[in-house]
């Protein structure tokens, strides 16, 4: 039944993916690289001296699916792929999507992509580095307190001609596991951008909103006047000392904060003649100690043990207490400042770089680059896609990412359960070891067999461990309360033993009973404590 259900789910997934692909025209896929073939000849590795990290064409762990792998730790990496034709971001919807798998985790480093402007902006593939101009930077970045899915737009100010980095405010955080995740940014014609992780929308923002990007794409209409200076007589003090206040005549500034407590009395058992510290009687002079070079040897000091059992040692002094006459330095009270003008700010003037904007003036994307500095290896990039239809991106997620993710998730779940089971088994083994020691406690000897029965039962059924613990605690408490509240023992009445023998010379019935008890005890198997 389980197998049939899985087959049905796979067929349903395949059918849904086929439907999604049917909706997408070939023209909707602008660029796609699955890395099933080696990247050599298609992607260009930077020749810059700083970028010594080696890229590899490698399988994702546990799959036959290939990707572009960051193979070394603590290195800088740079690689770029030129597009056959530049992508116009101003034309309809544009979807940027790619997969990453942090096979070794990510403690400090980036795993983002840069979508580069055309080369006439001043860069060359062989010289690709962190200064190469890009239009958009998108992807995971984590180090220290930083943990976010970057979305950065470089936008040109039409007034100043300067390119400004505009960062998405409050971006979503990056998954911290070692599974394959797919990141999607959908740039829409209504000036919105939608950020997805594993197909789930995590953030929606407007390019033209000052609440969504820092700094905002549209500058403020006014700015503080850089030439405006604060007047010399500008008073920003809200409160000032009262100039008419006079120190009271009885105000004693010289009175100390603390004085001796005259009512204190030395404890009777105070050891006046005992020092607080004494020479360590167990200390011995080192054999290699040279008095001429090292000076006269002195034993190290230890606290005087006599002082630990007494209220104190040495010279007794009265303790200090707070001086009721202490007032400290006098200062006049504060009053409202009649000359207060508030906190000074430069006046606002029209912003010479202000402009109005109906739509972002995106620069086209001419190449895709990965330029990162990471302390981890094992970062795998795969299924890099640029499309003009978000249904296309969805179909690729369903067919290329989701099957891998489901396999990895099930494997991770099994590993976590195995680890939890191992931790539980180790805990139970320690519990059983302690219980065997409890069973050996002399005052529990009467109940030892009962306790051992409980332990052995729990060892065959580990889920009963807590119940066994409770049962043993109940036994111990029962014995404890019997010892406390059991009452007085009844007086023992001794009887003279009857030594009459039967006519055939056999022992009395009492002797027979005693022998029977010994035989029964000898026949009973002795329980041995388990050591494993």
């Amino acid at each position: 039944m389980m197998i049939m259900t899985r087959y049905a789910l796979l067929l349903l997934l395949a059918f849904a993916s086929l439907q999604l692909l049917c909706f997408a025209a070939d023209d909707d896929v602008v660029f796609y690289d699955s890395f099933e073939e080696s990247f050599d000849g298609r992607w260009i590795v930077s020749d810059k001296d700083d970028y010594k990290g080696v890229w590899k064409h490698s399988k994702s762990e546990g799959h036959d699916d290939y990707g572009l792998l960051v193979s070394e730790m603590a290195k800088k990496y740079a690689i770029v792929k030129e597009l056959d034709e530049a992508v116009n971001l101003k034309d309809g919807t544009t979807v940027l999507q790619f997969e990453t798998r942090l096979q070794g985790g990510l403690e400090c480093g980036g795993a983002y992509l840069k979508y580069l402007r055309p080369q006439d902006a001043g860069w060359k593939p062989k010289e690709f580095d962190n200064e190469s101009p890009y239009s958009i930077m998108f992807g995971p970045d984590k180090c220290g307190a930083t943990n976010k899915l970057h979305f950065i737009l470089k936008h040109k100010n039409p007034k100043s001609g300067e390119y400004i980095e505009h960062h998405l405010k409050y971006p979503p955080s990056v998954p911290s596991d070692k599974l394959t995740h797919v990141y999607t940014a959908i740039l829409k014609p209504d000036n919105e951008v939608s950020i997805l992780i594993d197909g789930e929308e995590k953030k929606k923002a407007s390019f033209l909103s000052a609440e969504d990007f820092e700094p905002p794409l549209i500058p403020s209409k006014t700015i503080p006047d850089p030439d405006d200076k604060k007047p010399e007589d500008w008073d920003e003090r809200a409160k000032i000392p009262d100039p008419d206040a006079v120190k009271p005549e009885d105000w004693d500034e010289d009175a100390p904060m603390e004085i001796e407590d005259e009512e204190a009395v030395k404890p009777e058992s105070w050891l006046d003649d005992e020092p607080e510290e004494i020479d360590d009687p167990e200390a011995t002079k080192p054999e290699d100690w040279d008095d001429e070079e090292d000076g006269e040897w002195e034993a190290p000091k230890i606290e005087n043990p006599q002082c630990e059992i007494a209220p104190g040692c040495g010279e007794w002094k009265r303790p200090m207490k707070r001086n009721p006459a202490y007032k400290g330095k006098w200062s006049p009270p504060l009053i409202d400042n009649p000359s207060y003008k508030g906190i000074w700010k430069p006046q606002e003037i029209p912003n010479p770089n202000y402009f109005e904007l109906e739509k972002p003036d995106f620069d086209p994307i001419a190449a895709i680059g990965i330029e990162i500095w990471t302390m981890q290896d094992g970062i795998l990039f795969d299924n890099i896609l640029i499309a003009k239809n978000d249904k296309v991106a969805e179909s690729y997620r369903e067919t290329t990412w989701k099957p891998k993710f489901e396999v990895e998730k099930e494997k991770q779940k099994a590993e976590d359960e195995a680890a939890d089971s191992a931790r539980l088994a180790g805990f139970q083994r320690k519990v059983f070891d302690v219980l065997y020691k409890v069973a050996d406690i002399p005052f529990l000897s009467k109940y030892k067999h009962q306790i051992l029965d409980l332990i052995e039962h729990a060892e065959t059924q580990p889920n009963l461990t807590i119940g066994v613990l409770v049962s043993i605690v109940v036994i111990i408490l029962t014995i404890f309360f019997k010892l406390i509240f059991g009452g007085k023992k009844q007086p023992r009445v001794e009887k003279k033993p009857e030594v009459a023998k039967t006519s055939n010379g056999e022992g009395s019935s009492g002797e027979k009973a005693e022998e029977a008890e010994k035989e029964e005890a000898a026949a009973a198997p002795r329980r041995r404590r388990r050591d494993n």
Side-chain angles (χ1 to χ4, degrees):
M1 185 65 181
M2 182 69 71
I3 296 175
M4 293 298 294
T5 303
R6 290 183 178 178
Y7 276 125
L9 289 174
L10 288 173
L11 287 173
L12 181 62
L13 178 61
F15 179 71
S17 301
L18 182 61
Q19 279 190 315
L20 289 169
L21 285 170
C22 289
F23 283 119
D26 291 340
D27 293 341
D28 288 334
V29 179
V30 178
F31 172 82
Y32 176 65
D33 197 334
S34 66
F35 295 99
E36 288 307 303
E37 302 295 332
S38 175
F39 62 88
D40 289 336
R42 296 184 296 111
W43 290 71
I44 301 172
V45 178
S46 176
D47 287 339
K48 284 295 196 72
D49 292 339
D50 286 347
Y51 298 90
K52 299 298 184 183
V54 176
W55 296 96
K56 289 186 177 180
H57 182 239
S58 177
K59 286 184 179 181
S60 180
E61 292 180 5
H63 303 291
D64 289 330
D65 184 54
Y66 283 86
L68 183 62
L69 180 69
V70 170
S71 65
E72 298 176 298
M73 301 174 64
K75 298 282 186 179
K76 288 184 177 182
Y77 292 80
I79 192 170
V80 67
K81 174 69 174 73
E82 296 182 78
L83 304 182
D84 295 336
E85 186 177 346
V87 180
N88 184 0
L89 299 179
K90 302 176 185 178
D91 181 19
T93 297
T94 302
V95 184
L96 311 175
Q97 182 170 286
F98 67 99
E99 298 173 14
T100 60
R101 186 180 184 190
L102 311 174
Q103 297 177 135
L106 185 62
E107 293 298 325
C108 187
Y112 42 77
L113 270 58
K114 290 183 175 180
Y115 298 87
L116 301 163
R117 289 155 52 192
Q119 291 185 44
D120 58 15
W123 69 279
K124 297 178 181 179
K126 283 288 186 180
E127 298 175 2
F128 174 50
D129 61 11
N130 65 323
E131 297 296 331
S132 299
Y134 62 86
S135 289
I136 291 172
M137 190 175 96
F138 174 54
D141 187 21
K142 182 180 178 182
C143 193
T146 299
N147 182 359
K148 57 187 174 182
L149 183 60
H150 273 304
F151 184 90
I152 303 173
L153 169 66
K154 271 200 171 182
H155 191 265
K156 183 179 179 180
N157 184 307
K159 289 288 188 72
S160 66
E162 181 183 4
Y163 280 89
I164 306 295
E165 283 188 0
H166 301 277
H167 293 245
L168 178 67
K169 286 184 177 180
Y170 315 116
S173 58
V174 179
S176 58
D177 54 46
K178 299 178 183 180
L179 309 181
T180 300
H181 294 281
V182 57
Y183 302 99
T184 310
I186 305 174
L187 286 66
K188 303 176 182 179
D190 60 357
N191 298 327
E192 280 193 348
V193 58
S194 183
I195 305 297
L196 285 64
I197 300 178
D198 297 343
E200 181 181 349
E201 185 176 79
K202 298 293 186 180
K203 178 77 175 180
K204 181 183 287 186
S206 171
F207 285 114
L208 304 185
S209 172
E211 301 299 321
D212 292 333
F213 282 87
E214 177 63 37
L217 269 70
I218 302 176
S220 60
K221 290 185 178 181
T222 62
I223 60 171
D225 184 357
D227 298 324
D228 193 12
K229 305 296 181 184
K230 183 173 71 172
E232 293 183 0
D233 61 347
W234 191 278
D235 197 339
E236 294 183 330
R237 299 173 300 164
K239 298 282 187 178
I240 59 171
D242 184 356
D244 298 326
V246 178
K247 184 175 72 172
E249 293 182 359
D250 61 346
W251 193 284
D252 185 0
E253 292 186 337
D254 299 326
M257 184 182 295
E258 290 185 332
I259 58 174
E260 283 188 357
D261 185 358
E262 297 293 339
E263 297 178 358
V265 178
K266 183 175 72 172
E268 293 182 0
S269 54
W270 189 278
L271 304 178
D272 296 274
D273 299 329
E274 288 287 342
E276 294 182 2
E277 291 184 339
I278 61 172
D279 291 343
D280 185 355
E282 298 182 1
T284 57
K285 180 178 179 181
E287 295 181 0
D288 59 348
W289 188 276
D290 189 330
D291 290 336
E292 294 183 359
E293 293 185 4
D294 302 325
E296 184 180 353
W297 182 80
E298 295 180 358
K301 298 289 186 181
I302 61 170
E303 293 183 2
N304 189 344
Q306 296 295 326
C307 299
E308 294 181 1
I309 58 177
C313 295
E315 181 185 358
W316 181 81
K317 295 181 180 178
R318 285 190 173 87
M320 304 296 287
K321 69 175 185 178
R322 181 174 177 79
N323 183 4
Y326 172 75
K327 293 184 178 181
K329 293 293 182 182
W330 180 85
S331 58
L334 296 178
I335 62 172
D336 292 335
N337 182 4
S339 301
Y340 175 66
K341 295 183 179 181
I343 303 300
W344 182 85
K345 295 180 180 179
Q347 63 179 344
E348 296 284 320
I349 61 172
N351 184 359
N353 293 322
Y354 171 76
F355 61 88
E356 294 184 356
L357 194 66
E358 293 184 0
K359 296 181 72 65
D361 188 17
F362 294 111
D363 279 313
I365 295 172
I368 300 173
I370 306 174
E371 184 275 316
I372 57 177
W373 183 10
T374 177
M375 302 306 293
Q376 272 73 41
D377 57 358
I379 302 175
L380 191 80
F381 295 87
D382 198 6
N383 294 312
I384 298 176
L385 171 71
I386 300 177
K388 302 300 289 186
N389 186 331
D390 58 341
K391 292 295 183 182
V392 174
E394 184 180 351
S395 71
Y396 276 85
R397 289 195 300 269
E398 292 293 322
T399 56
T400 65
W401 165 76
K402 194 168 186 177
K404 289 186 297 185
F405 180 76
E406 293 297 335
V407 170
E408 293 164 8
K409 188 168 65 172
E410 287 300 318
K411 182 181 178 183
Q412 184 65 52
K413 181 180 178 181
E415 290 175 353
D416 291 343
E417 289 177 351
D420 290 342
S421 178
R423 283 193 291 270
L424 180 59
F427 167 75
Q428 289 172 331
R429 182 68 267 158
K430 292 179 181 179
V431 170
F432 294 143
D433 289 342
V434 172
L435 292 179
Y436 277 120
K437 292 179 181 178
V438 170
D440 287 336
I441 297 175
F443 85 91
L444 295 175
S445 59
K446 184 178 179 181
Y447 300 89
K448 182 172 182 177
H449 292 301
Q450 185 179 349
I451 294 173
L452 291 175
D453 279 337
L454 289 170
I455 298 172
E456 290 178 355
H457 194 43
E459 284 185 312
T460 58
Q461 300 184 54
N463 58 318
L464 300 179
T465 302
I466 300 300
V468 169
L469 281 173
V470 174
S471 300
I472 294 175
V473 170
V474 170
I475 292 173
I476 295 173
L477 289 176
T478 301
I479 297 172
F480 179 73
F481 282 114
K482 280 184 177 180
L483 291 175
I484 296 177
F485 305 109
K488 297 180 179 180
K489 294 183 179 180
Q490 295 297 324
R492 183 177 179 181
V493 179
E494 294 185 358
K495 294 183 179 181
K496 295 182 179 181
E498 296 180 2
V499 294
K501 295 185 179 180
T502 60
S503 59
N504 58 6
E506 293 180 353
S508 68
S509 59
E511 291 175 343
K512 289 182 179 180
E514 185 177 352
E515 290 177 1
E517 287 180 3
K518 291 180 179 180
E519 290 177 0
E520 183 180 352
R526 171 173 281 181
R527 195 183 309 273
R528 294 187 302 174
R529 173 178 171 176
R530 297 187 179 183
D531 295 325
N532 51 24

